[in-house]
Amino acid sequence: MIQFISDSSHYTSVLDLAMKAMHSLWIGTADIKDLYVLQGKIEKPFLGVLAELLGKGVEVRLIHAKEPGPNFRADFDRYPRLAKMLERVMCPRVHFKIIVIDQTVCYVGSANLTGAGMGMKSPHRRNFEAGILTDEPSIVSAAIEEFDKVWRGSECEKCQRRGVCPDPIV
């Protein structure tokens, strides 16, 4: 399956799959905000979903480029499990948007993990986004490798941003 995703499909296709992760969920995004999702009939912070996944033993890794704002921080603090179990690194060079679900499906595209990019913003307040959702092994492997090379800090020495990096990986 290779599916082109645009507009509200990010929410209905990508986030729905992410919320059903069974083993691992890797998220790489330049920007992350207090994204809200609908789970059943309940509107909740996506961070709450991540906390639930962590409670079920799902490995959740998050790479983002900058420190999120106060609304995100308030939501983050509502879920103590995140501080204890969420694997998170910051890299100011990250601009990719990659979500890998259970190492078998991935999204690669333009949407940040924000309400306007992927969330519940109204159709008139959304960004124009595009991406690919696929289970094609060669694409999934390439997305995993791209995410993992940043996660491991393989790019840190040649980055030349060490002086402004808020949280050096290595």
Side-chain angles (χ1 to χ4, degrees):
M1 163 227 11
I2 298 179
Q3 180 182 353
F4 179 78
I5 304 289
S6 65
D7 300 330
S8 63
S9 299
H10 283 86
Y11 179 76
T12 56
S13 297
V14 179
L15 290 183
D16 278 352
L17 277 176
M19 291 189 284
K20 295 174 184 160
M22 301 295 290
H23 307 288
S24 63
L25 177 61
W26 292 4
I27 301 168
T29 184
D31 194 10
I32 185 167
K33 293 186 179 171
D34 57 327
L35 169 66
Y36 276 68
V37 295
L38 200 58
Q39 194 174 40
K41 294 185 180 190
I42 299 171
E43 193 175 302
K44 69 187 306 180
F46 187 63
L47 288 171
V49 172
L50 296 182
E52 288 173 9
L53 290 172
L54 288 165
K56 295 176 183 175
V58 176
E59 170 196 70
V60 180
R61 290 184 174 181
L62 173 63
I63 300 174
H64 55 99
K66 61 184 180 178
E67 201 56 58
N71 292 338
F72 176 93
R73 187 84 233 170
D75 283 343
F76 188 92
D77 291 344
R78 288 174 49 195
Y79 303 99
R81 186 177 286 147
L82 295 174
K84 294 177 191 157
M85 300 173 70
L86 177 67
E87 298 178 59
R88 183 182 73 87
V89 298
M90 244 184 347
C91 172
R93 289 251 189 228
V94 165
H95 199 262
F96 58 57
K97 287 74 174 183
I98 296 174
I99 297 176
V100 181
I101 304 153
D102 292 331
Q103 306 290 299
T104 60
V105 177
C106 74
Y107 163 79
V108 179
S110 65
N112 282 306
L113 209 62
T114 65
M118 285 201 163
M120 294 179 58
K121 290 270 186 187
S122 79
H124 306 292
R125 296 180 60 204
R126 297 185 59 80
N127 297 338
F128 303 118
E129 306 285 4
I132 300 292
L133 180 65
T134 185
D135 62 359
E136 171 60 41
S138 64
I139 297 172
V140 174
S141 292
I144 289 169
E145 178 54 30
E146 189 63 28
F147 183 101
D148 201 41
K149 109 177 140 177
V150 174
W151 185 262
R152 293 186 314 258
S154 297
E155 302 297 309
C156 290
E157 284 197 31
K158 58 185 169 192
C159 167
Q160 299 181 351
R161 304 255 327 169
R162 182 86 174 183
V164 297
C165 189
D167 187 20
I169 297 169
V170 294

PDB file of all heavy atoms in Angstrom, residues 95-107:
ATOM      1  N   HIS A  95      13.935  18.794  10.402  1.00  0.00           N
ATOM      2  CA  HIS A  95      12.828  19.415   9.686  1.00  0.00           C
ATOM      3  C   HIS A  95      11.949  18.335   9.066  1.00  0.00           C
ATOM      4  O   HIS A  95      10.858  18.609   8.575  1.00  0.00           O
ATOM      5  CB  HIS A  95      13.336  20.393   8.618  1.00  0.00           C
ATOM      6  CG  HIS A  95      12.279  21.355   8.201  1.00  0.00           C
ATOM      7  ND1 HIS A  95      11.522  21.197   7.067  1.00  0.00           N
ATOM      8  CD2 HIS A  95      11.826  22.477   8.802  1.00  0.00           C
ATOM      9  CE1 HIS A  95      10.661  22.180   6.971  1.00  0.00           C
ATOM     10  NE2 HIS A  95      10.818  22.971   8.010  1.00  0.00           N
ATOM     11  N   PHE A  96      12.400  17.085   9.106  1.00  0.00           N
ATOM     12  CA  PHE A  96      11.581  16.020   8.523  1.00  0.00           C
ATOM     13  C   PHE A  96      10.336  15.774   9.352  1.00  0.00           C
ATOM     14  O   PHE A  96      10.265  16.119  10.526  1.00  0.00           O
ATOM     15  CB  PHE A  96      12.366  14.725   8.300  1.00  0.00           C
ATOM     16  CG  PHE A  96      13.022  14.090   9.509  1.00  0.00           C
ATOM     17  CD1 PHE A  96      12.312  13.714  10.635  1.00  0.00           C
ATOM     18  CD2 PHE A  96      14.378  13.816   9.487  1.00  0.00           C
ATOM     19  CE1 PHE A  96      12.910  13.089  11.716  1.00  0.00           C
ATOM     20  CE2 PHE A  96      15.000  13.193  10.561  1.00  0.00           C
ATOM     21  CZ  PHE A  96      14.260  12.832  11.676  1.00  0.00           C
ATOM     22  N   LYS A  97       9.359  15.210   8.695  1.00  0.00           N
ATOM     23  CA  LYS A  97       8.136  14.769   9.355  1.00  0.00           C
ATOM     24  C   LYS A  97       8.011  13.289   9.011  1.00  0.00           C
ATOM     25  O   LYS A  97       7.683  12.922   7.888  1.00  0.00           O
ATOM     26  CB  LYS A  97       6.896  15.521   8.857  1.00  0.00           C
ATOM     27  CG  LYS A  97       6.820  16.960   9.345  1.00  0.00           C
ATOM     28  CD  LYS A  97       7.792  17.824   8.623  1.00  0.00           C
ATOM     29  CE  LYS A  97       7.643  19.292   8.982  1.00  0.00           C
ATOM     30  NZ  LYS A  97       8.558  20.104   8.202  1.00  0.00           N
ATOM     31  N   ILE A  98       8.350  12.466   9.985  1.00  0.00           N
ATOM     32  CA  ILE A  98       8.336  11.014   9.801  1.00  0.00           C
ATOM     33  C   ILE A  98       7.604  10.409  10.988  1.00  0.00           C
ATOM     34  O   ILE A  98       7.898  10.738  12.133  1.00  0.00           O
ATOM     35  CB  ILE A  98       9.776  10.434   9.749  1.00  0.00           C
ATOM     36  CG1 ILE A  98      10.542  10.952   8.529  1.00  0.00           C
ATOM     37  CG2 ILE A  98       9.733   8.902   9.755  1.00  0.00           C
ATOM     38  CD1 ILE A  98      12.015  10.536   8.512  1.00  0.00           C
ATOM     39  N   ILE A  99       6.670   9.527  10.707  1.00  0.00           N
ATOM     40  CA  ILE A  99       6.021   8.744  11.750  1.00  0.00           C
ATOM     41  C   ILE A  99       6.139   7.286  11.330  1.00  0.00           C
ATOM     42  O   ILE A  99       5.734   6.920  10.224  1.00  0.00           O
ATOM     43  CB  ILE A  99       4.545   9.143  11.930  1.00  0.00           C
ATOM     44  CG1 ILE A  99       4.448  10.603  12.382  1.00  0.00           C
ATOM     45  CG2 ILE A  99       3.853   8.212  12.937  1.00  0.00           C
ATOM     46  CD1 ILE A  99       3.037  11.131  12.510  1.00  0.00           C
ATOM     47  N   VAL A 100       6.727   6.474  12.201  1.00  0.00           N
ATOM     48  CA  VAL A 100       6.888   5.042  11.931  1.00  0.00           C
ATOM     49  C   VAL A 100       6.076   4.285  12.980  1.00  0.00           C
ATOM     50  O   VAL A 100       6.293   4.450  14.180  1.00  0.00           O
ATOM     51  CB  VAL A 100       8.367   4.610  11.982  1.00  0.00           C
ATOM     52  CG1 VAL A 100       8.489   3.120  11.676  1.00  0.00           C
ATOM     53  CG2 VAL A 100       9.217   5.432  11.015  1.00  0.00           C
ATOM     54  N   ILE A 101       5.158   3.467  12.504  1.00  0.00           N
ATOM     55  CA  ILE A 101       4.249   2.729  13.379  1.00  0.00           C
ATOM     56  C   ILE A 101       4.600   1.246  13.322  1.00  0.00           C
ATOM     57  O   ILE A 101       4.550   0.631  12.244  1.00  0.00           O
ATOM     58  CB  ILE A 101       2.787   2.957  12.952  1.00  0.00           C
ATOM     59  CG1 ILE A 101       2.475   4.457  12.943  1.00  0.00           C
ATOM     60  CG2 ILE A 101       1.825   2.188  13.847  1.00  0.00           C
ATOM     61  CD1 ILE A 101       1.393   4.869  11.995  1.00  0.00           C
ATOM     62  N   ASP A 102       4.985   0.715  14.466  1.00  0.00           N
ATOM     63  CA  ASP A 102       5.296  -0.714  14.610  1.00  0.00           C
ATOM     64  C   ASP A 102       6.327  -1.217  13.602  1.00  0.00           C
ATOM     65  O   ASP A 102       6.342  -2.401  13.251  1.00  0.00           O
ATOM     66  CB  ASP A 102       4.012  -1.553  14.536  1.00  0.00           C
ATOM     67  CG  ASP A 102       3.107  -1.319  15.728  1.00  0.00           C
ATOM     68  OD1 ASP A 102       3.626  -1.001  16.821  1.00  0.00           O
ATOM     69  OD2 ASP A 102       1.875  -1.438  15.578  1.00  0.00           O
ATOM     70  N   GLN A 103       7.186  -0.307  13.126  1.00  0.00           N
ATOM     71  CA  GLN A 103       8.258  -0.652  12.189  1.00  0.00           C
ATOM     72  C   GLN A 103       7.734  -1.260  10.882  1.00  0.00           C
ATOM     73  O   GLN A 103       8.501  -1.844  10.114  1.00  0.00           O
ATOM     74  CB  GLN A 103       9.267  -1.624  12.835  1.00  0.00           C
ATOM     75  CG  GLN A 103       9.834  -1.139  14.151  1.00  0.00           C
ATOM     76  CD  GLN A 103      10.764   0.036  13.991  1.00  0.00           C
ATOM     77  OE1 GLN A 103      11.783  -0.058  13.337  1.00  0.00           O
ATOM     78  NE2 GLN A 103      10.411   1.161  14.596  1.00  0.00           N
ATOM     79  N   THR A 104       6.432  -1.121  10.608  1.00  0.00           N
ATOM     80  CA  THR A 104       5.853  -1.724   9.401  1.00  0.00           C
ATOM     81  C   THR A 104       5.125  -0.733   8.507  1.00  0.00           C
ATOM     82  O   THR A 104       4.892  -1.022   7.339  1.00  0.00           O
ATOM     83  CB  THR A 104       4.850  -2.844   9.772  1.00  0.00           C
ATOM     84  OG1 THR A 104       3.802  -2.283  10.566  1.00  0.00           O
ATOM     85  CG2 THR A 104       5.530  -3.967  10.530  1.00  0.00           C
ATOM     86  N   VAL A 105       4.767   0.414   9.048  1.00  0.00           N
ATOM     87  CA  VAL A 105       4.036   1.441   8.290  1.00  0.00           C
ATOM     88  C   VAL A 105       4.687   2.777   8.608  1.00  0.00           C
ATOM     89  O   VAL A 105       5.088   3.016   9.755  1.00  0.00           O
ATOM     90  CB  VAL A 105       2.541   1.499   8.699  1.00  0.00           C
ATOM     91  CG1 VAL A 105       1.812   2.613   7.972  1.00  0.00           C
ATOM     92  CG2 VAL A 105       1.866   0.167   8.447  1.00  0.00           C
ATOM     93  N   CYS A 106       4.786   3.644   7.612  1.00  0.00           N
ATOM     94  CA  CYS A 106       5.336   4.963   7.895  1.00  0.00           C
ATOM     95  C   CYS A 106       4.607   6.046   7.120  1.00  0.00           C
ATOM     96  O   CYS A 106       4.009   5.799   6.075  1.00  0.00           O
ATOM     97  CB  CYS A 106       6.830   5.027   7.605  1.00  0.00           C
ATOM     98  SG  CYS A 106       7.267   5.067   5.861  1.00  0.00           S
ATOM     99  N   TYR A 107       4.685   7.227   7.677  1.00  0.00           N
ATOM    100  CA  TYR A 107       4.228   8.449   7.025  1.00  0.00           C
ATOM    101  C   TYR A 107       5.465   9.304   6.822  1.00  0.00           C
ATOM    102  O   TYR A 107       6.271   9.474   7.749  1.00  0.00           O
ATOM    103  CB  TYR A 107       3.226   9.197   7.908  1.00  0.00           C
ATOM    104  CG  TYR A 107       3.041  10.637   7.484  1.00  0.00           C
ATOM    105  CD1 TYR A 107       2.240  10.962   6.398  1.00  0.00           C
ATOM    106  CD2 TYR A 107       3.693  11.667   8.148  1.00  0.00           C
ATOM    107  CE1 TYR A 107       2.099  12.277   5.984  1.00  0.00           C
ATOM    108  CE2 TYR A 107       3.555  12.981   7.746  1.00  0.00           C
ATOM    109  CZ  TYR A 107       2.758  13.278   6.659  1.00  0.00           C
ATOM    110  OH  TYR A 107       2.626  14.581   6.249  1.00  0.00           O
TER     111      TYR A 107
END
